[in-house]
Amino acid sequence: MNGESDYGLWTIVILHSAIFIFFAFSFIKPKTSIDWRSLGAFSAFIVALFTEMYGFPLTIYLLSGWLTERYPGINFYSHEKGHLLHTLLGFEGNAHFDPLHIASMVFIVFGFILMASAWNQLHLAQQAGNVATTGWYARCRHPQYLAFIVIMFGFLLQWPTIPTVVMFPILVVVYVRLAKREEQQALLQFGDQYRAYVRQTPAWFPRLFKKTSEDP
């Protein structure tokens, strides 16, 4: 475990964190306090992730005794071996091409596509003073928060760490609470119109098939 380390790359930590946070910021274009809280929670997860990925490998440090005993001769302080699930599950070859990493990228890309689409539909509806019921909002009531959860889950498949594994369920609870607060506000603003939308549309698990011909 005392081999060459690929960590301490704080410029890369800052650069990668800034890129993903900027992507999220450009997609959601935060306007309300709830928007900013959503982005803030996601940003905290991203910074924690890249800090361990390129800065200081806290998880590997804490597990170093167990890792050394079970996998002697492997330098987990190299970036390649920092993909812990790749080694623990017995995958061979380049970690960037194992099934977990590929699945991770699918979740992350889909999450950002969902985020861009959902927040755009939400802001258009807010500007018109209407309930967002088109696009992804015809499939589930909270696609904007679902996007954050999907992206974070994708990163966990790729590079799980103790801090991010602990943060993930906490942030899921945060997004659920934000969603409930938004629903309370929508009920006050739209009344029966929003109640009807709630009865027809699942909260978190998207309806796979369009219910009406009006859905895009």
Side-chain angles (χ1 to χ4, degrees):
M1 298 287 290
N2 295 322
E4 183 181 354
S5 173
D6 290 336
Y7 295 91
L9 306 175
W10 296 105
T11 300
I12 296 180
V13 173
I14 294 171
L15 181 61
H16 279 62
S17 298
I19 289 172
F20 280 96
I21 293 171
F22 175 77
F23 279 166
F25 177 87
S26 64
F27 290 151
I28 71 175
K29 299 179 176 63
K31 296 179 175 61
T32 67
S33 60
I34 292 180
D35 293 346
W36 283 106
R37 289 175 191 173
S38 303
L39 180 62
F42 177 75
S43 299
F45 180 91
I46 290 297
V47 171
L49 171 76
F50 286 116
T51 295
E52 284 226 40
M53 192 178 291
Y54 296 107
F56 179 74
L58 176 64
T59 297
I60 293 175
Y61 177 77
L62 293 176
L63 299 178
S64 59
W66 178 78
L67 290 171
T68 300
E69 180 180 350
R70 183 161 183 178
Y71 301 96
I74 294 181
N75 176 23
F76 283 98
Y77 287 99
S78 70
H79 185 78
E80 182 69 22
K81 296 303 180 182
H83 293 79
L84 290 181
L85 287 181
H86 177 82
T87 300
L88 298 181
L89 295 178
F91 290 118
E92 301 291 340
N94 191 325
H96 295 89
F97 297 101
D98 71 26
L100 283 177
H101 201 284
I102 294 171
S104 165
M105 295 308 299
V106 171
F107 277 106
I108 293 169
V109 171
F110 171 72
F112 274 108
I113 293 173
L114 175 59
M115 180 185 295
S117 175
W119 283 95
N120 181 59
Q121 291 158 0
L122 178 61
H123 288 319
L124 288 175
Q126 289 174 338
Q127 291 171 358
N130 297 323
V131 178
T133 59
T134 61
W136 279 99
Y137 283 91
R139 301 180 185 275
C140 67
R141 301 200 302 273
H142 306 295
Q144 75 279 25
Y145 297 131
L146 180 61
F148 282 121
I149 294 171
V150 167
I151 293 170
M152 291 188 298
F153 178 75
F155 276 121
L156 283 181
L157 286 180
Q158 180 181 145
W159 197 284
T161 69
I162 291 174
T164 55
V165 167
V166 171
M167 290 175 68
F168 181 72
I170 295 173
L171 293 180
V172 170
V173 172
V174 168
Y175 287 127
V176 169
R177 289 183 175 179
L178 288 175
K180 289 182 177 179
R181 183 174 301 180
E182 280 196 350
E183 291 208 326
Q184 291 172 354
Q185 295 174 352
L187 285 169
L188 291 175
Q189 182 177 358
F190 299 106
D192 290 340
Q193 180 185 0
Y194 193 78
R195 290 187 184 92
Y197 172 65
V198 169
R199 287 195 299 269
Q200 297 171 2
T201 313
W204 292 99
F205 296 97
R207 183 186 295 117
L208 296 180
F209 301 101
K210 300 173 185 176
K211 191 171 183 178
T212 72
S213 59
E214 296 179 357
D215 296 339

